[in-house]
Amino acid sequence: VNTDIYSAVERVDISLRQNEHDHARMVLAGIPATAVTDYADLPVLVRIAVPYGEGFTFTGFINDTEPTHKSRNGRVDGGLLQEETLVCLGASSVMRGVKARMWKNFTVKDMVEVMSVDYNLSYSCPDTSPIIPSMSQRGLSDWEALTKACRQSGLAVNVHGTEIHVWNPLNAIQ
């Protein structure tokens, strides 16, 4: 998002949780009224730098915009809209479309291998997980099916950037 037209990026909140889409909310101040819908569905990249490590890069898509008007504050940059919140979903948002598949005698890794090809993503996944005899994906997105299979297998999943990352949360605690 080109924030040069805004007077300020007030806040960026990023939420990273296992088995959920990554979320980012960016509050921008002083937007022109014509820009309210300009950014819907566009890709977004946010880099967070920290002095003690590599930091983090959030990649995803702007899913929604929420303009706000606070009449007591008057106009900002000539417009009545003082803020706009850009609601962004992470890279896993491409996996939201509902599909109908029947999975038989598969492991989470088998599922991840298929989905990594479907969405052109890399992956990291444990080689050992229980075989799931059968799972219907009727009415579920690939993301919902993957998180369901991971939970059944005692695993967790997230997608950051271009990688599906599956891990055993019990091993991560140690």
Side-chain angles (χ1 to χ4, degrees):
V1 173
N2 179 1
T3 58
D4 294 339
I5 65 169
Y6 301 105
S7 62
V9 174
E10 290 186 346
R11 187 175 72 242
V12 176
D13 297 321
I14 296 178
S15 172
L16 311 172
R17 294 190 178 130
Q18 66 187 32
N19 302 325
E20 292 183 18
H21 294 291
D22 292 348
H23 293 258
R25 294 178 64 85
M26 294 181 281
V27 180
L28 308 174
I31 65 162
T34 57
V36 171
T37 58
D38 286 352
Y39 294 113
D41 299 322
L42 291 179
V44 65
L45 178 125
V46 178
R47 287 195 179 107
I48 306 294
V50 293
Y52 52 83
E54 293 179 21
F56 177 78
T57 301
F58 172 91
T59 56
F61 296 90
I62 299 171
N63 189 46
D64 193 16
T65 59
E66 301 170 352
T68 56
H69 167 70
K70 301 172 188 167
S71 60
R72 71 181 183 278
N73 292 349
R75 293 179 180 265
V76 175
D77 290 343
L80 289 174
L81 299 173
Q82 281 83 22
E83 294 179 342
E84 179 173 21
T85 300
L86 303 179
V87 180
C88 309
L89 289 178
S92 61
S93 66
V94 297
M95 302 172 75
R96 292 184 302 154
V98 173
K99 295 204 175 164
R101 295 188 202 194
M102 189 67 191
W103 298 89
K104 296 235 182 225
N105 295 317
F106 71 99
T107 65
V108 168
K109 186 171 183 181
D110 297 331
M111 182 181 264
V112 168
E113 286 173 346
V114 169
M115 291 181 185
S116 69
V117 170
D118 290 350
Y119 298 103
N120 197 27
L121 299 169
S122 60
Y123 67 89
S124 63
C125 185
D127 290 327
T128 57
S129 65
I131 292 176
I132 300 172
S134 176
M135 186 180 89
S136 170
Q137 191 178 331
R138 185 172 182 213
L140 297 177
S141 68
D142 281 345
W143 178 253
E144 291 167 322
L146 180 57
T147 57
K148 180 179 177 180
C150 284
R151 284 186 182 114
Q152 286 178 1
S153 300
L155 301 172
V157 63
N158 61 25
V159 176
H160 295 312
T162 60
E163 181 174 278
I164 301 171
H165 179 66
V166 178
W167 74 97
N168 183 330
L170 296 177
N171 291 346
I173 293 172
Q174 298 173 357

